[in-house]
């Protein structure tokens, strides 16, 4: 029941919801295969969510299945994310392997602390603003580049997922 309540409260900004079962999981590749494809209007780059938040982004679309690149993937893809701190601050989030996400902020002056919520920024036409990503677990400055690196622990527990929603 709590999972269904969470799905109902996810911000989708008028996007169509396509429910898809998870058919296979490949943790080493940071991918899952879902049972929805182009026949169900799934498109590349679409956000994939569950009640807890953002799971990943559609990477490959077939007629009846799609490959979803998980947020934790170290492959070169980044999404816009915002830390809900005293003064919200946005940056680019990328994966570094299982349960390890890094948010790069362009300012070392940003006041980010452990426990702050991280959500999608909405700076993409395919990923709506406000979808939960995770919580801040560590913050460190990178003086060489003048940035702040924020480690984020994801909300989504992939081992418990049986189905997802593709936002189109």
């Amino acid at each position: 029941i709590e999972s269904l309540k969470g799905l109902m409260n996810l911000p989708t900004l008028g996007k169509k919801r396509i429910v898809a079962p998870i058919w296979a999981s490949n943790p080493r590749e940071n991918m899952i295969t879902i049972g929805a494809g182009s026949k169900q209007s799934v498109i590349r780059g679409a956000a994939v969510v569950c009640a807890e938040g953002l799971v990943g982004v559609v990477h490959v679309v077939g007629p009846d299945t799609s490959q979803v690149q998980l947020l934790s993937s170290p492959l070169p893809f980044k999404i816009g994310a915002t830390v809900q701190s005293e003064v919200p601050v946005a940056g680019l989030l990328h994966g570094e392997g299982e349960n390890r996400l890094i948010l790069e902020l362009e300012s070392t002056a940003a006041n980010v602390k452990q426990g702050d919520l991280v959500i999608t920024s909405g700076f993409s036409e395919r990923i709506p603003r406000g979808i939960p990503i995770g919580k801040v677990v560590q913050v460190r400055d990178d003086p060489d580049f003048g940035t702040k690196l924020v480690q984020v622990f994801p909300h989504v527990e992939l081992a418990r997922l049986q189905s997802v929603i593709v936002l189109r």
Side-chain angles (χ1 to χ4, degrees):
I1 292 174
E2 291 304 315
S3 181
L4 289 173
K5 284 181 185 176
L7 282 173
M8 296 304 296
N9 292 327
L10 275 178
T12 58
L13 300 177
K15 301 248 183 230
K16 177 181 174 185
R17 296 175 182 216
I18 304 164
V19 178
I22 296 176
W23 283 3
S25 177
N26 189 339
R28 287 189 178 166
E29 299 289 325
N30 290 291
M31 299 276 256
I32 58 173
T33 302
I34 61 172
S38 58
K39 289 180 182 176
Q40 292 80 25
S41 302
V42 173
I43 61 169
R44 190 177 200 279
V48 178
V49 301
C50 66
E52 291 79 24
L54 188 64
V55 174
V57 175
V58 175
H59 187 63
V60 177
V61 180
D64 296 305
T65 63
S66 297
Q67 298 292 317
V68 176
Q69 192 73 52
L70 301 174
L71 280 182
S72 59
S73 175
L75 291 179
F77 94 95
K78 297 181 180 186
I79 65 161
T82 302
V83 179
Q84 296 296 102
S85 55
E86 293 172 14
V87 176
V89 58
L92 290 175
L93 181 108
H94 67 275
E96 288 194 342
E98 188 176 347
N99 291 328
R100 186 170 163 87
L101 307 172
I102 301 295
L103 177 60
E104 298 175 30
L105 304 175
E106 290 192 22
S107 170
T108 57
N111 187 18
V112 176
K113 60 188 177 304
Q114 190 174 1
D116 285 346
L117 178 65
V118 178
I119 62 172
T120 55
S121 66
F123 298 145
S124 163
E125 66 183 59
R126 295 205 174 124
I127 304 174
R129 175 178 172 71
I131 299 172
I133 294 173
K135 293 213 179 220
V136 172
V137 292
Q138 183 181 28
V139 181
R140 63 182 161 85
D141 290 333
D142 186 348
D144 294 337
F145 294 100
T147 60
K148 188 175 290 273
L149 299 175
V150 179
Q151 185 176 347
V152 179
F153 188 79
H155 277 310
V156 176
E157 291 183 51
L158 294 171
R160 295 180 54 196
L161 287 182
Q162 294 180 358
S163 62
V164 293
I165 294 176
V166 180
L167 301 179
R168 169 82 164 87

